[in-house]
Amino acid sequence: MTGFDEALRAGPLLADGAMGTLAQATGARSEGSGSELALFAPELVGALHRRYLDAGAQVLQTHTYGAIRPRLARHGLADRVRDVNLAAARLARRTVEDAAPGRPVYVAGSVSPATSPRAAPPPDPATVRAAVREQVAALDEGGVDLVVLETFACADELVEALEAAREVSDLPIIAQATFADEDGTPVTTHGETPEQVAAIVGALRPVAVGSNCTLGPQGLLTVVRRMATVVPDGVLVTALPNAGLPHVVSDRSVRFASDAEHFGRYAAHYVAAGASLVGGCCGTTPAHVAAAARALTEGPLLTGTPDPPSSPVVVTGAAATEEAPDDGSGPVPGPGRGALAGWLDARAGRRRTLLVAEATVPGPDDLSVARGRAALGAGAQVLWSGRERSRRPLTTAAAVAAALHERTAADVMLTVTSWNTSRMALQADLLGLDALGVHALVCETGNPPVHADRPVRDGVWEVDAVGLVELATSLARGVDPDGSPLPVACPFRVGVRVTPGSDDLDRELARVRTKVEAGAEYLVTRPVYELDRLSRVLDGLDATGVRVPVLLTVAPLSGFAEAEQLRHEVPDIVLPDAVLEGARRAGEDPEPGLELASGLVAEAVGDGLVDGVVVRRPGPPAALAEAVSRLGAALGVRA
């Protein structure tokens, strides 16, 4: 079939979704990138293609992501590059002819970067060009209608690949980069903006420039809008997002927040913003493609499409310290003697409600300290240093916690994660925290930052949250994990997360009970926007005779954009219909979010469901102070 260029300009066209997601769901395992399944399990790959055709896809991508020499060579398959690509191209073409005879369906040859975006050092340009030429030549021989260069994390490498593909093929080319959200701004791994990629790559006149992977539906809308304003005349725009945010579950498998109807709505929004080809990447399925097909044909487009949440205001230098001057008053709490320890040690009938404020931001330490001072001035009793989920290096949560502890004279809680850290390194970190005077811990398994390719499968998994609790409580007893006595005990007060938004509350209940039996003294919820599911988990704990103090995490909604993203793209968050609809009516006014949070706090504390509150609110110190003051009033706490 010919004429893809003309068809796309007459579009929009709908592409398929993730092949790897479906292949993994079948239980298929491979030693390489998975592209070799076209050789070793063609019936499986053909069946997956057919499912996307049945869902309404008009563009099928060959199952050849990673089928490029440098990647296949890592798995002993360097001599099968042509075989894999030729087989995959012919398989996709045959599936179209058998399953959709007469339908205008186009086969796109998928080409990845020569190496993972995280690989070091970067490949030699000559190596990249040779590898791309080899793969594109095989795909062209196999009968594809176009070439899709996808998930490139560097504009220069995308340019190299585009030029190399043209040396061996006259097929139309789509060039796609991948972006991640860094402090509210989409950038490539190399720090390039959507405008820069669109201008640099668009100057070479591919049929289209676009983006795939990493970002979810809402985040990619910003990329589409920004690319569409700068692409050269005649160059089109594409958009293939992930299903949502990936999340590692206890068996180390990956689950994506996945809402097919939400995905479909955003496919229509992409078209309204200027995209000519839409589809899906990691985590998407035929259900997502079917929802997109309905949204593109049923119309009209939904109105009131929000912009993604704006990035927090970053205040640095002297301005960061103006919110609350450091008067140096009050002693720094001694080991295990802070406000949290007093709260834990009080009898249940006399335990005062604890108010905690999260001070950590993805920025300089002085901003975190300024936020902490502002929160303390507004009535917070404890500051929390959390862990940011970012692809770029940030100051560690432990370092921020130490700075908060030293420079605000406050009791500080710290999130400690076990992901990508060995048991020995975790023990060293805990001993270091003891030396710094930070003893209030919240132990998590944690989630890696979002990357392209295999988003969250890498890392060290020696210890999960339960093992981390056991390690910390062992040190608190004055014994190392091998049973040898320490010179002095580390007086840690150990808490853990509870996830009321889990889609399996029975499993969550069992998991929380295991954490408590391992030594956890208190629970901290994930952000909550309704109380029914939390009540069910805590009632289940009561029924088993296991109950410890609970801190309710509240994160007031900033507006409809954040509400929609939480509802459809973030795992383990339950945001009720009524809350979403209220946010839709309010637009980007943050006041309803504060009102909802205040009501939840008053109800949860008034009913005795929880024993304290953690306040999360991104942005400058004054914004956090306002939330702490409002929610403290709901608790009966006054600054």
Side-chain angles (χ1 to χ4, degrees):
M1 183 178 295
T2 59
F4 171 78
D5 193 329
E6 292 80 5
L8 188 62
R9 296 185 189 284
L13 296 181
L14 177 61
D16 56 7
M19 290 290 287
T21 296
L22 289 190
Q24 291 174 9
T26 68
R29 294 291 182 267
S30 60
E31 293 301 319
S33 64
S35 58
E36 63 271 25
L37 290 174
L39 276 181
F40 305 133
E43 298 85 358
L44 169 62
V45 176
L48 301 183
H49 282 320
R50 184 184 290 268
R51 289 188 61 191
Y52 281 117
L53 286 174
D54 292 344
Q58 298 163 290
V59 178
L60 283 189
Q61 298 181 84
T62 58
H63 191 43
T64 52
Y65 187 91
I68 192 165
R69 181 172 291 273
R71 293 192 178 212
L72 290 180
R74 295 202 301 267
H75 307 285
L77 295 170
D79 61 344
R80 304 302 299 274
V81 174
R82 180 177 177 275
D83 296 341
V84 170
N85 285 278
L86 193 60
R90 289 174 173 170
L91 178 60
R93 170 63 64 208
R94 187 167 61 252
T95 304
V96 171
E97 293 171 351
D98 292 345
R103 274 178 55 187
V105 177
Y106 301 90
V107 175
S110 170
V111 177
S112 72
T115 62
S116 167
R118 290 161 284 159
D124 174 67
T127 301
V128 171
R129 283 180 174 266
V132 172
R133 285 195 298 267
E134 180 183 29
Q135 184 178 9
V136 171
L139 290 169
D140 195 342
E141 182 183 354
V144 301
D145 299 302
L146 67 145
V147 172
V148 176
L149 307 173
E150 57 175 333
T151 327
F152 280 71
C154 171
D156 287 344
E157 187 179 1
L158 187 50
V159 166
E160 292 280 353
L162 178 54
E163 292 177 338
R166 282 181 169 164
E167 292 173 8
V168 295
S169 175
D170 294 327
L171 290 171
I173 298 176
I174 291 174
Q176 296 180 153
T178 189
F179 298 86
D181 187 327
E182 295 293 352
D183 304 342
T185 299
V187 293
T188 67
T189 299
H190 289 248
E192 297 148 331
T193 66
E195 291 88 347
Q196 290 171 324
V197 172
I200 293 169
V201 181
L204 298 180
R205 313 294 300 184
V207 66
V209 175
S211 180
N212 73 291
C213 206
T214 308
L215 294 174
Q218 192 182 86
L220 199 65
L221 181 57
T222 295
V223 176
V224 172
R225 286 171 169 165
R226 291 173 61 172
M227 280 189 158
T229 62
V230 298
V231 289
D233 289 343
V235 177
L236 305 177
V237 176
T238 67
L240 289 86
N242 283 355
L245 192 67
H247 182 65
V248 177
V249 294
S250 62
D251 62 356
R252 307 293 184 262
S253 62
V254 177
R255 178 170 62 86
F256 281 83
S258 177
D259 185 317
E261 295 306 316
H262 172 74
F263 179 90
R265 288 194 298 273
Y266 269 83
H269 295 324
Y270 297 149
V271 172
S276 297
L277 176 70
V278 297
C281 203
C282 298
T284 56
T285 67
H288 293 81
V289 172
R294 291 192 296 273
L296 293 177
T297 57
E298 291 176 359
L301 298 179
L302 295 178
T303 58
T305 309
D307 288 319
S310 59
S311 59
V313 178
V314 177
V315 186
T316 60
T321 62
E322 290 175 0
E323 300 291 340
D326 183 10
D327 57 8
S329 62
V332 175
R337 299 191 184 96
L340 183 128
W343 173 74
L344 286 172
D345 292 337
R347 295 196 303 274
R350 303 185 60 183
R351 185 179 290 118
R352 297 179 60 187
T353 305
L354 190 69
L355 182 58
V356 182
E358 185 173 300
T360 304
V361 296
D365 294 345
D366 58 355
L367 179 55
S368 291
V369 172
R371 281 168 54 86
R373 290 172 180 156
L376 291 170
Q381 299 151 330
V382 178
L383 300 180
W384 184 335
S385 177
R387 178 187 175 98
E388 294 295 332
R389 181 166 168 160
S390 174
R391 297 191 310 169
R392 61 185 176 85
L394 299 174
T395 303
T396 65
V400 173
L404 289 169
H405 181 65
E406 178 182 0
R407 294 166 58 188
T408 65
D411 194 15
V412 177
M413 293 169 58
L414 169 66
T415 300
V416 181
T417 59
S418 64
W419 169 78
N420 211 25
T421 309
S422 68
R423 180 184 294 272
M424 182 175 293
L426 285 169
Q427 181 175 344
D429 288 346
L430 292 173
L431 293 173
L433 290 173
D434 176 56
L436 292 169
V438 177
H439 295 101
L441 312 179
V442 178
C443 295
E444 300 180 359
T445 303
N447 277 297
V450 180
H451 289 279
D453 288 326
R454 296 171 182 252
V456 291
R457 294 300 295 270
D458 57 351
V460 177
W461 299 97
E462 284 190 11
V463 177
D464 64 1
V466 174
L468 184 55
V469 169
E470 293 172 342
L471 179 58
T473 55
S474 175
L475 297 178
R477 295 193 303 269
V479 180
D480 73 13
D482 296 325
S484 301
L486 299 172
V488 62
C490 306
F492 293 125
R493 310 308 298 262
V494 181
V496 292
R497 287 288 199 176
V498 57
T499 306
S502 170
D503 53 11
D504 187 344
L505 285 184
D506 290 337
R507 179 181 173 280
E508 179 65 13
L509 173 62
R511 180 75 171 165
V512 171
R513 181 176 180 180
T514 300
K515 293 175 183 177
V516 173
E517 291 172 347
E521 298 180 82
Y522 60 100
L523 306 179
V524 184
T525 73
R526 302 286 180 187
V528 167
Y529 298 93
E530 56 84 34
L531 297 176
D532 177 66
R533 295 173 68 86
L534 177 61
S535 297
R536 290 161 60 186
V537 173
L538 297 182
D539 287 346
L541 284 176
D542 287 341
T544 62
V546 176
R547 185 66 184 268
V548 293
V550 179
L551 292 172
L552 175 76
T553 298
V554 287
L557 294 170
S558 62
F560 175 54
E562 183 184 18
E564 187 184 42
Q565 186 178 45
L566 289 173
R567 169 67 176 263
H568 300 292
E569 299 184 28
V570 180
D572 298 331
I573 295 292
V574 172
L575 199 142
D577 291 342
V579 174
L580 184 65
E581 184 55 34
R584 188 190 304 277
R585 291 194 302 269
E588 298 312 303
D589 180 3
E591 179 59 29
L594 285 167
E595 293 178 358
L596 170 66
S598 297
L600 285 174
V601 166
E603 180 181 352
V605 174
D607 292 348
L609 189 64
V610 302
D611 305 278
V613 172
V614 177
V615 181
R616 292 189 61 191
R617 198 181 195 190
L624 178 61
E626 178 190 19
V628 169
S629 178
R630 290 278 294 272
L631 298 176
L635 286 173
V637 175
R638 293 292 185 272

